[in-house]
Amino acid sequence: MADTDQVPVSDPEAAAAAAVLDALNGTEALNATAKFVASPEGTALAYGSLVLMALLPIFFGALRSVHCSKSKNASDMPETITSRDAARFPIIASCTLFGLYLFFKVFSQEYINMLLSVYFFGLGVLALSHTLSPLMSRIFPESFPNKQYQLLFTQGSDDTKEEIVNYEFDTKNLLCLVIGAVVGVWYLLKKHWIANNLFGLAFALNGVELLHLNNVNTGCILLGGLFVYDVFWVFGTNVMVTVARSFEAPIKLVFPQDLLERGLGASNFAMLGLGDIVIPGIFIALLLRFDVSLKKNSRTYFYTSFLAYIFGLGLTIFVMHTFKHAQPALLYLVPACVGFPVVVALIKGELTEMFSYESSVELLPGSPRLTSFPTVSGSPASLAGSMATGSSPRHRRLQPTPLYEETPPEDTEVKEESETEKKDQ
């Protein structure tokens, strides 16, 4: 989590003249424009809005993950993260993050962000349309003429024909795509922070909904690994902060601290990475599915972890505001989101049940495994990828455990002998 400051130069000619005079005198050129200092009200509004925007995709994404896990529609099937995936996740994310850092150092930032903008335009339209789809189904009455469509791409012919894309949609989905495209064009042309946040919220919600941890052990491995990852890259180097500020893509939520002074054209932003929302969010969603599996009509672990997230994020903001330095949010979120539910489970005597719970077996035996990783911690590449490749035939699926054993040969022979005896009689 970090602040960004963009200070306008009110008089370019005067600033240039001052720079020349300072250079001739052998002194360092100073920016004559005073740095903008956000008011306490503006700062409180920015941080409060970031907290609210972070809570929305976690809460609704977790609720939708329960329905998603029970869905029989192949396009809505979640991606299951196993312990092996969780262990590799921080390593691959670190390599990709450092690769992006080198890219921004070597190549022009303008052209890299241009390519990334086009890439995330497509992903954002799909993510936003998937987010709005359930809402459209409730808004339009059943009498609405909802026609069905199918987009099918195949390769080969006859017996060798192979499906590459098989996308089924209806009129309501088309309307969602149109809305997503309008927001996408707005983002491409203006890079406005509201359009950025709409895409970011859609990525975060889809991530919490469609990325499933198979058990609590896997969640602890993932959160523990990314805890170290976040602390190292924020405190140990300037890589994380540099990439976050250079990466002009909706991989973070932003809110201006000078909104009260400058309106919608404000430019002094506080930011929160999507990884600080999605990573704890999928663990909170797992605990909600665990609550459902207990069949006690209670959401104890979900609400405990949800309140723990609020506490951890609030502590992050407090420390960042106090020390005026970017903070790795997972440093505070991981202990809170894991520790609070574990303590509650110890008190209730359900710790064994919690760690033995298997989400992929309990709710969805045929869930596909996660086969791709995000380009940055919290990057939406994996989030939209989970929608785009959810029904890919190349995905490996978890095989359900057989519920019975075959009848041994000895019993079969006994039955055959008894039948022949009856015929002889």
Side-chain angles (χ1 to χ4, degrees), residues 68-131:
C68 173
S69 62
K70 297 178 180 178
S71 175
K72 296 181 180 179
N73 189 355
S75 62
D76 292 331
M77 291 177 66
E79 298 275 1
T80 301
I81 303 176
T82 66
S83 57
R84 183 181 179 185
D85 299 324
R88 294 161 51 197
F89 200 99
I91 300 173
I92 295 178
S94 296
C95 295
T96 310
L97 178 67
F98 189 66
L100 283 171
Y101 175 78
L102 294 179
F103 261 94
F104 282 115
K105 289 294 183 182
V106 175
F107 299 102
S108 173
Q109 179 177 328
E110 179 182 357
Y111 295 112
I112 295 176
N113 283 320
M114 185 183 301
L115 293 174
L116 291 173
S117 297
V118 175
Y119 174 66
F120 282 104
F121 166 80
L123 296 180
V125 170
L126 291 175
L128 192 57
S129 62
H130 185 267
T131 302

Side-chain angles (χ1 to χ4, degrees), residues 15-31:
V20 172
L21 290 174
D22 288 338
L24 291 175
N25 293 330
T27 60
E28 185 180 4
L30 299 176
N31 191 347

Side-chain angles (χ1 to χ4, degrees), residues 165-177:
V165 176
N166 188 359
Y167 182 65
E168 297 180 358
F169 56 97
D170 53 27
T171 307
K172 297 176 183 177
N173 297 135
L174 278 177
L175 183 58
C176 294
L177 284 171

Side-chain angles (χ1 to χ4, degrees), residues 228-240 325 328:
V228 177
Y229 160 88
D230 212 18
V231 171
F232 173 77
W233 288 112
V234 173
F235 283 153
T237 68
N238 67 337
V239 172
M240 179 77 79
H325 188 278

